[in-house]
């Protein structure tokens, strides 16, 4: 801070004899204070000016000089009191009005500061310092106005920007610091917000606003019990603190609803848990960290209720709120696996493994990658219309049904396009049966191996009709579906169609 002018008598000015020993002693103390001030020994100067005031408390310049010293020590509230006392003793004391205005500015009271500077301009219209300081006060009022408007619009970044500029002028304004800290908390910048609030609490442990912001940070970091303690303390200091009251009510309601949902889940009452988590999510949209957990909790309950799409959506919402939330990635990846969305599952498991390189996460990733690889091949189980755990008999029955359904002879009277499509399906059915009816090939297929490797299976020497004849035991390539009469040994089997 730039040095503040003090009132030092000029030799050219007429010297008046101060009657009485106290007045003379006060003047000596003042002169000693001036020397210390010029040497930047502000604490010593403060002591001398205090002695001067104690000896003769009716001299405005003594208060003015001590105010200047206190300003250099950044003790603006005390400096303000001395400045005000100085102008009470002498309303024409311009330096007293200037110092009062500068103290108001440092403390963030721009309107009061402007009144002081205008008073100086009444006494001396050409005073350049008063004009400049008055412009500073007007700029400060405008910044505060912009910040309040930004807060109403929930543009918290703008508030922080405005408060940073305001604090460059009003460095001792706790109100501006708290306003900035509150918005930092709302932006999720908790360490910065906590630092500001803690600095103020070190100076004033009863500051309700700082207690509120400290609680707000804890609340948004999902330390709800501790947050409630700070809110209650803030309300003790300021019973009418509306923000602390609302935050305390929300914190208690959120914790109660979340705990209730957890208890319902533990008792396997998943419908109730799902509903309770939904109600908890509606309490405070600003609590990002807690809401991320609530979305993940609801996703877990939804998975138990087979609400797969809702489970994926809830996990996605949790990740939007907290992109480091491993549990949400794992839950969503499992849901993707359950719905055979393997590419999405691989992406989530890769994110998890990059963050936490555990053997379990590596195994989950490899499993998803294998399923993705398998999904890009023909699904022989789907071709036959059987489950992946189908028995040998189920596979045979399914082949019999599908082979008869798609055999070319059955569609000989259909259009060329239909015949071509049915022939293709007939070949796929034979190919699927060839693999799934052979234990070795089936194991390789289930494990994701390529069956063309090492001659295990090749479409080049595959003949669906050969498979068909071998399965049905027929020796005649001709079949009749329309006459109902035997036209060859194989015709009997088509009665199963």
């Amino acid at each position: 801070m730039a040095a503040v002018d003090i009132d030092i008598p000029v030799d050219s000015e007429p010297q008046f004899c101060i009657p009485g020993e106290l007045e003379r002693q006060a003047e000596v103390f003042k002169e000693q204070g001036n020397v210390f001030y010029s040497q930047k020994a502000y604490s010593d100067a403060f002591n001398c000016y205090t002695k001067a005031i104690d000896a003769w408390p009716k001299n405005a310049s003594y208060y003015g000089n001590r105010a200047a010293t206190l300003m250099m020590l950044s003790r603006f509230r005390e400096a303000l009191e001395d400045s005000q006392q100085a102008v009470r003793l002498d309303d024409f004391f311009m330096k007293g009005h200037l110092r009062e205005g500068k103290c108001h500015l440092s403390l963030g009271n721009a309107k009061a500061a402007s009144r002081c500077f205008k008073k100086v301009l009444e006494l001396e219209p050409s005073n350049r310092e008063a004009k400049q300081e008055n412009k500073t006060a007007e700029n400060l009022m405008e910044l505060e106005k912009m910040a309040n408007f930004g807060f109403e619009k929930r543009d918290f970044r703008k508030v922080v920007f405005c408060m940073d500029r305001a604090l460059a002028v009003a460095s001792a304004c706790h109100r501006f610091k708290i306003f900035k800290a509150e918005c930092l908390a709302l932006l999720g910048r908790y360490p910065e917000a906590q630092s500001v609030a803690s600095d103020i609490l070190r100076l004033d442990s009863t500051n309700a606003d700082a207690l509120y912001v400290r609680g707000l940070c804890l609340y948004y970091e999902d330390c709800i019990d501790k947050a409630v303690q700070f809110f209650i303390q803030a309300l003790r200091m300021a019973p009418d603190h509306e923000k602390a009251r609302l935050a305390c009510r929300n914190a208690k309601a959120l914790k109660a609803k979340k705990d209730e949902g957890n208890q319902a889940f533990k008792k396997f009452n998943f419908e109730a848990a799902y509903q309770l988590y939904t109600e908890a999510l509606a309490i405070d949209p600003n609590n990002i960290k807690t809401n991320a957990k609530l979305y993940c909790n609801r996703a877990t309950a939804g998975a138990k209720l087979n609400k797969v799409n809702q489970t994926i959506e809830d996990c996605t919402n949790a990740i939007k709120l907290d992109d480091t939330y491993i549990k949400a990635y794992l839950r969503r990846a499992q849901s993707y696996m359950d719905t055979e969305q393997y590419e999405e599952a691989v992406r989530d498991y890769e994110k998890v493994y990059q963050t936490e390189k555990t053997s379990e996460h590596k195994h989950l990733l490899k499993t998803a990658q294998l399923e993705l690889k398998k999904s890009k091949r023909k699904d022989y189980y789907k071709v036959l219309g059987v489950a992946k755990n189908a028995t040998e008999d189920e596979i045979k029955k399914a082949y019999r049904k599908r082979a008869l359904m798609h055999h070319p002879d059955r569609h000989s009277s259909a259009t060329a396009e239909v015949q071509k499509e049915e022939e293709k399906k007939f070949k796929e059915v034979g190919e699927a049966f060839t693999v799934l009816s052979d234990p070795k090939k089936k194991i390789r297929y289930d494990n994701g191996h390529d069956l063309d490797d090492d001659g295990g299976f090749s479409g080049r020497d595959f003949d669906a009709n050969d498979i068909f004849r071998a399965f049905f035991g027929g020796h005649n390539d001709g079949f009749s579906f329309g006459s109902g009469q035997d036209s060859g040994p194989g015709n009997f089997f088509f009665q199963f169609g």
Side-chain angles (χ1 to χ4, degrees), residues 37-187:
Y37 188 95
S38 65
Q39 295 172 349
K40 298 184 179 180
Y42 300 121
S43 294
D44 293 329
F46 170 81
N47 292 333
C48 290
Y49 293 139
T50 299
K51 291 176 181 178
I53 291 170
D54 290 342
W56 191 251
K58 295 182 180 180
N59 190 311
S61 67
Y62 298 169
Y63 288 98
N65 283 7
R66 190 169 72 171
T69 304
L70 287 165
M71 290 170 71
M72 298 309 298
L73 292 169
S74 297
R75 293 160 61 179
F76 294 103
R77 295 188 185 281
E78 296 168 77
L80 177 61
E81 292 175 6
D82 275 357
S83 298
Q84 290 173 330
Q85 179 60 21
V87 296
R88 276 195 291 268
L89 291 170
D90 182 0
D91 193 44
F92 294 95
F93 186 21
M94 284 192 299
K95 285 186 178 180
H97 289 296
L98 274 172
R99 287 169 190 155
E100 182 186 354
K102 289 180 179 180
C103 288
H104 280 308
L105 271 183
S106 294
L107 294 167
N109 192 342
K111 287 184 179 179
S114 183
R115 286 196 297 270
C116 294
F117 299 136
K118 287 176 180 178
K119 177 65 177 179
V120 174
L121 292 171
E122 288 176 10
L123 298 171
E124 187 182 310
S126 61
N127 190 299
R128 295 177 62 185
E129 185 178 8
K131 288 180 180 179
Q132 184 58 46
E133 294 291 358
N134 193 50
K135 286 183 180 179
T136 301
E138 291 174 349
N139 289 338
L140 188 60
M141 283 187 275
E142 185 60 27
L143 284 170
E144 188 172 4
K145 181 179 177 182
M146 289 169 59
N148 288 330
F149 181 76
F151 191 84
E152 289 176 5
K153 297 296 182 181
R154 302 188 63 78
D155 188 352
F156 303 126
R157 286 183 177 82
K158 186 170 186 177
V159 177
V160 172
F161 172 77
C162 290
M163 287 299 97
D164 279 337
R165 292 182 63 187
L167 285 165
V169 176
S171 59
C173 181
H174 286 182
R175 182 165 52 86
F176 288 171
K177 290 178 181 179
I178 289 295
F179 198 12
K180 173 185 174 180
E182 181 180 4
C183 291
L184 287 172
L186 292 168
L187 288 169

